[in-house]
Amino acid sequence: GQNIDQPTEMTATEGAIVQINCTYQTSGFNGLFWYQQHAGEAPTFLSYNVLDGLEEKGRFSSFLSRSKGYSYLLLKELQMKDSASYLCAVRDWSSSNTGKLIFGQGTTLQVKP
Amino acid sequence: DSGVTQTPKHLITATGQRVTLRCSPRSGDLSVYWYQQSLDQGLQFLIQYYNGEERAKGNILERFSAQQFPDLHSELNLSSLELGDSALYFCASSPSQGATNEKLFFGSGTQLSVL
């Protein structure tokens, strides 16, 4: 089976840096994704990691440690529009040989002025 | 705009009824995934179709069924609806079966309210 854990809520200040952690357990790990979801809207892709290390993309970076089953999303220079839910998802390439994404509960980030 | 189209955007119905949600994937995408998102839960994987065939099943209730048609659009059928089925239902698509770095593109969802 799969298990993905993220904090439920976080609060940060505009202009600051915030780190959202994700731990996972899965039998057929084949990549970790981060998505952003504003309330009532569709999730949109932010980043992807399959190898250990840091992937940087503008203000957003994502880190993966496969041996620890751990990832984090780092958001720099926070803006009010970054207030959203951040979803950690693991690609589970299990017995069916198809790479469905299994999502965590999501972390709701509130950015305050 | 992700290129994934879902209809209808909102659906209000009564308990015991049956509804059909429709999804058109991005042009060229062969896989369609259905997810359910309730207020107190994250995105729950329901089912995946690839090129017309069922490829993976999640915690999909027996009252729910889906199919993917030759033109690759998909329908999710929900029957004998219960209050607890009220949720946001998302469809997503990807080019193939879910290769390593293949991301999913999500539609804007159908908000189902069962009264």
Side-chain angles (χ1 to χ4, degrees):
Chain A
Q2 310 92 15
N3 190 41
I4 301 172
D5 287 316
Q6 309 178 230
T8 305
E9 296 179 344
M10 297 184 72
T11 303
T13 305
E14 192 177 14
I17 299 173
V18 70
Q19 178 175 312
I20 302 174
N21 296 323
C22 171
T23 58
Y24 65 89
Q25 291 175 313
T26 182
S27 54
F29 177 82
N30 199 19
L32 188 140
F33 294 74
W34 285 94
Y35 277 77
Q36 181 191 59
Q37 185 181 25
H38 286 97
E41 297 183 8
T44 55
F45 170 79
L46 286 179
S47 71
Y48 163 76
N49 297 72
V50 68
L51 301 177
D52 291 353
L54 190 67
E55 293 285 339
E56 296 185 84
K57 193 186 283 188
R59 293 189 299 115
F60 291 19
S61 303
S62 58
F63 171 84
L64 175 67
S65 169
R66 289 172 297 170
S67 62
K68 295 182 179 179
Y70 168 70
S71 173
Y72 68 71
L73 180 69
L74 195 70
L75 291 76
K76 303 176 187 175
E77 301 168 14
L78 280 172
Q79 303 175 9
M80 297 301 291
K81 67 178 182 179
D82 296 330
S83 292
S85 285
Y86 292 85
L87 312 178
C88 173
V90 171
R91 167 148 280 141
D92 179 29
W93 195 265
S94 55
S95 57
S96 58
N97 275 348
T98 67
K100 60 185 181 290
L101 290 189
I102 303 301
F103 285 83
Q105 297 274 79
T107 299
T108 300
L109 173 66
Q110 184 180 18
V111 180
K112 295 185 173 180
Chain B
D1 183 8
S2 67
V4 179
T5 304
Q6 285 188 252
T7 57
K9 290 193 182 303
H10 302 277
L11 200 49
I12 301 175
T13 189
T15 55
Q17 295 297 305
R18 172 189 168 95
V19 297
T20 298
L21 313 183
R22 183 187 169 101
C23 170
S24 293
R26 290 190 323 154
S27 177
D29 283 1
L30 299 179
S31 268
V32 169
Y33 308 77
W34 286 98
Y35 286 84
Q36 178 193 55
Q37 188 174 44
S38 305
L39 279 177
D40 58 345
Q41 293 190 357
L43 277 168
Q44 300 292 315
F45 171 71
L46 294 178
I47 198 164
Q48 176 198 3
Y49 277 82
Y50 170 74
N51 205 21
E53 293 188 4
E54 182 185 304
R55 294 297 295 159
K57 230 172 183 177
N59 296 326
I60 188 168
L61 299 172
E62 285 192 11
R63 300 184 286 110
F64 296 1
S65 65
Q67 54 184 328
Q68 186 179 29
F69 295 87
D71 68 351
L72 301 178
H73 91 270
S74 178
E75 293 181 354
L76 179 67
N77 300 296
L78 315 177
S79 62
S80 303
L81 284 168
E82 302 175 359
L83 295 178
D85 298 327
S86 295
L88 194 49
Y89 291 84
F90 285 106
C91 165
S93 74
S94 69
S96 68
Q97 296 188 64
T100 301
N101 63 347
E102 193 170 280
K103 57 193 177 192
L104 269 56
F105 295 86
F106 283 81
S108 56
T110 293
Q111 179 67 59
L112 173 67
S113 298
V114 182
L115 305 179

